[in-house]
């Protein structure tokens, strides 16, 4: 939602007949930005503000090629998202990301990645790779040019675009989401048509992927160096 305020706004004045139309051109807008606007009129009776509307700036590409992998691109609200989990072994500048030795997780303090069960050539590759925090926050950038790791607000905006705000009192809470959150992901963020396959833990009911976000549960590497929870959950990092 957005509260209208005529201060600090672009104001375009004109005199219009009751059945006339007009248009304006606004420059300097940022791609994926949300622009709110309203029409207001001033006459002898005072100032009347019309309905507040909004639009998104720019379009999302249909797909994105990055270091040899093609990702679908999905619009969520006004943001463009990769439609699959990240699977790059290189930073933006082409520098290789180190391959993580699972048993060294606790002592590794630089960026690294690993495939679940160390098997990147198997079906696990469909779920993307696993990265440590250092890889996701490395100054060389793990995302393509013009892309970034989402922050918490952007992540929640994506959830809201898919109806999650109706499930809890405060959608922007920083608390761990459970129950309703799990139900939300089971129904909206799974890939359509994979019920009964080996990409989600069985049973996997009512999969319809209304979000078109192909999030798959790649599991994680725990502090003991063990791979756990594939088919059951995925851990996602947001940039706070």
């Amino acid at each position: 939602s957005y509260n209208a305020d005529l201060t600090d706004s672009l104001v375009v004045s004109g005199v219009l007949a009751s059945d006339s139309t007009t248009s304006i051109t606004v420059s300097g807008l940022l791609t994926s930005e949300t622009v709110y606007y309203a029409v207001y009129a001033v006459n002898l009776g005072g100032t009347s503000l019309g309905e507040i509307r909004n639009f998104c700036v720019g379009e999302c590409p249909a797909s994105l090629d990055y270091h040899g992998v093609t990702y679908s691109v999905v619009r969520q609200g006004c943001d463009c998202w990769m439609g699959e989990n990240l699977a790059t072994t290189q930073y933006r500048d082409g520098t290789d990301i180190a391959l993580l030795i699972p048993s060294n997780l606790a002592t590794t303090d630089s960026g690294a990645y690993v495939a679940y069960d160390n098997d990147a050539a198997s079906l696990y590759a469909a779920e993307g790779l696993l990265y440590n925090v250092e890889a996701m926050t490395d100054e060389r950038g793990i995302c393509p040019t013009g892309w970034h790791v989402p922050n918490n607000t952007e992540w929640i905006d994506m959830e809201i675009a898919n109806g999650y705000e109706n499930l809890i009192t405060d959608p922007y809470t920083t608390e761990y989401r459970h129950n309703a959150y799990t139900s939300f992901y089971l129904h909206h963020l799974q890939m359509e048509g994979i019920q009964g396959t080996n990409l989600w833990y069985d049973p996997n009911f009512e999969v319809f992927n209304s979000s078109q976000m192909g999030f798959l549960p790649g599991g994680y590497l725990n502090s003991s160096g063990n791979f756990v929870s594939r088919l059951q959950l995925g851990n996602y990092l947001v940039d706070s």
Side-chain angles (χ1 to χ4, degrees):
S1 62
Y2 183 82
N3 295 321
D5 188 345
L6 298 183
T7 62
D8 297 325
S9 301
L10 173 67
V11 178
V12 177
S13 301
V15 179
L16 302 176
S18 61
D19 60 350
S20 65
T21 60
T22 189
S23 64
I24 62 171
T25 300
V26 181
S27 61
L29 301 178
L30 301 177
T31 300
S32 297
E33 187 174 32
T34 304
V35 176
Y36 294 87
Y37 68 96
V39 175
Y40 75 96
V42 179
N43 54 32
L44 294 178
T47 300
S48 298
L49 183 67
E51 178 184 358
I52 299 172
R53 300 185 180 185
N54 66 78
F55 63 88
C56 301
V57 180
E59 299 293 334
C60 295
S63 61
L64 174 68
D65 294 324
Y66 184 49
H67 293 326
V69 179
T70 300
Y71 303 87
S72 63
V73 178
V74 181
R75 165 151 269 172
Q76 299 290 335
C78 281
D79 295 324
C80 302
W81 287 74
M82 285 183 174
E84 292 83 31
N85 291 339
L86 189 65
T88 184
T89 60
Q90 297 176 313
Y91 292 109
R92 182 182 302 149
D93 63 2
T95 303
D96 288 337
I97 304 172
L99 179 62
L100 178 68
I101 298 174
S103 59
N104 292 345
L105 175 62
T107 58
T108 298
D109 58 4
S110 59
Y113 80 92
V114 69
Y116 196 96
D117 277 348
N118 293 305
D119 192 0
S122 73
L123 276 177
Y124 306 133
E127 299 149 14
L129 297 171
L130 304 176
Y131 303 90
N132 61 4
V133 173
E134 288 79 10
M136 301 298 288
T137 58
D138 190 283
E139 62 182 10
R140 287 168 288 186
I142 199 170
C143 299
T145 300
W147 293 72
H148 62 271
V149 176
N151 59 44
N152 192 55
T153 297
E154 289 169 330
W155 183 276
I156 296 173
D157 285 343
M158 179 270 293
E159 296 174 331
I160 290 175
N162 289 281
Y164 178 59
E165 66 177 335
N166 297 322
L167 299 180
I168 58 175
T169 303
D170 178 13
Y172 286 95
T173 179
T174 57
E175 297 298 322
Y176 177 75
R177 275 88 113 188
H178 47 85
N179 296 334
Y181 182 70
T182 302
S183 175
F184 167 79
Y185 272 96
L186 286 178
H187 289 79
H188 294 277
L189 296 182
Q190 291 187 15
M191 292 186 70
E192 185 175 11
I194 62 172
Q195 180 176 337
T197 73
N198 59 351
L199 297 178
W200 275 97
Y201 188 77
D202 187 57
N204 183 26
F205 300 113
E206 299 183 41
V207 177
F208 49 76
N209 191 32
S210 65
S211 71
Q212 301 180 34
M213 301 285 285
F215 291 168
L216 291 175
Y220 66 98
L221 180 66
N222 66 20
S223 58
S224 299
N226 299 314
F227 293 96
V228 294
S229 298
R230 178 181 173 263
L231 303 181
Q232 299 177 31
L233 62 84
N235 286 347
Y236 294 90
L237 175 74
V238 295
D239 185 356
S240 59

